[in-house]
Amino acid sequence: MAKNSSSMFGTVIISVFLTLIIIGAGGYFGLPLLYPNLTADLNQYETSDEGIILQRINVESKTYAYIFDYDTGDYQTIPEMNVNISISTNSKISATFSAIAFLTLGTGFQNHTIFSFRISVVGIKERTGTVRYFEQDALSAYRQISQFIYLNLITESLSAGTYQIIVEWRSDWDPSGTNSLSLGHSSTFNHSRSLVVEEFK
């Protein structure tokens, strides 16, 4: 009797083990055949510290763009630095602008100059940054200074819809002389500007 019980117990264990193997193998190989998008859906998304990235739009430009210190007043959109993105409900938007800029100061420049940058998810959120320079003594020759620009913002969860992201600039001070800030000076040194927009959950 004990021998039969032991044999039956062994049979049950082997049956359970074989069943688990068959179900596991069937699920692993069978589900992708029944649901071909299942694997793609799981693998097509990247992750970041913020969550799962559902889509990314990358806009890059090397074209020459400039603004003078007398261009005070309203912000102006930086050429080619705008994009629309359509998102699903409860997604967030991350937007990042980066560029190498050149501040050019004319001979005789004295005082300070200020240029502002702004990145916006229009009507939702914005972030600003500045390029500032001060010179106490008048310059005896023109001067050019490179500046690295980096702006990033992340929204709260948004409703489904299409949103516009733009990067703008303006001068906040008009000192004497002709002074400017420029982008896209040289393709040789890859002085490009980029706007990267992501939807994530």
Side-chain angles (χ1 to χ4, degrees):
M1 186 70 178
K3 185 176 181 182
N4 287 340
S5 297
S6 177
S7 177
M8 288 177 60
F9 180 74
T11 302
V12 169
I13 293 297
I14 292 172
S15 297
V16 169
F17 182 70
L18 290 175
T19 301
L20 290 175
I21 291 176
I22 291 169
I23 290 174
Y28 183 82
F29 294 106
L31 284 177
L33 296 175
L34 294 173
Y35 303 99
N37 291 328
L38 182 64
T39 304
D41 289 342
L42 292 174
N43 295 330
Q44 71 179 340
Y45 301 123
E46 296 179 45
T47 59
S48 68
D49 292 339
E50 291 79 27
I52 298 173
I53 299 172
L54 302 181
Q55 63 171 310
R56 176 184 292 126
I57 301 173
N58 187 12
V59 180
E60 189 168 324
S61 175
K62 294 182 182 179
T63 60
Y64 182 58
Y66 59 88
I67 185 171
F68 290 100
D69 53 9
Y70 53 72
D71 291 321
T72 57
D74 294 337
Y75 276 99
Q76 307 170 31
T77 302
I78 297 174
E80 302 173 57
M81 290 292 101
N82 62 88
V83 70
N84 290 339
I85 186 170
S86 297
I87 65 169
S88 58
T89 300
N90 293 326
S91 285
K92 297 181 181 181
I93 294 174
S94 169
T96 303
F97 171 72
S98 59
I100 297 291
F102 288 89
L103 178 64
T104 302
L105 305 170
T107 302
F109 171 82
Q110 188 177 17
N111 205 312
H112 62 268
T113 186
I114 306 170
F115 293 94
S116 289
F117 287 80
R118 179 172 71 183
I119 186 170
S120 306
V121 178
V122 178
I124 303 297
K125 189 172 184 178
E126 64 184 43
R127 176 159 289 174
T128 60
T130 60
V131 171
R132 296 170 178 259
Y133 185 83
F134 175 78
E135 185 65 48
Q136 183 172 343
D137 301 316
L139 295 178
S140 58
Y142 94 96
R143 182 173 297 173
Q144 192 172 76
I145 304 161
S146 63
Q147 304 280 333
F148 178 67
I149 314 297
Y150 180 88
L151 290 173
N152 172 257
L153 67 79
I154 299 174
T155 69
E156 300 301 322
S157 296
L158 300 171
S159 301
T162 300
Y163 296 85
Q164 182 184 22
I165 294 87
I166 59 174
V167 185
E168 304 164 290
W169 58 0
R170 74 177 181 195
S171 170
D172 290 327
W173 186 257
D174 184 13
S176 60
T178 302
N179 311 289
S180 65
L181 191 69
S182 57
L183 302 170
H185 255 256
S186 170
S187 59
T188 303
F189 297 105
N190 196 30
H191 291 155
S192 60
R193 58 188 178 274
S194 68
L195 173 59
V196 179
V197 179
E198 296 174 331
E199 174 193 1
F200 67 91
K201 287 186 180 292

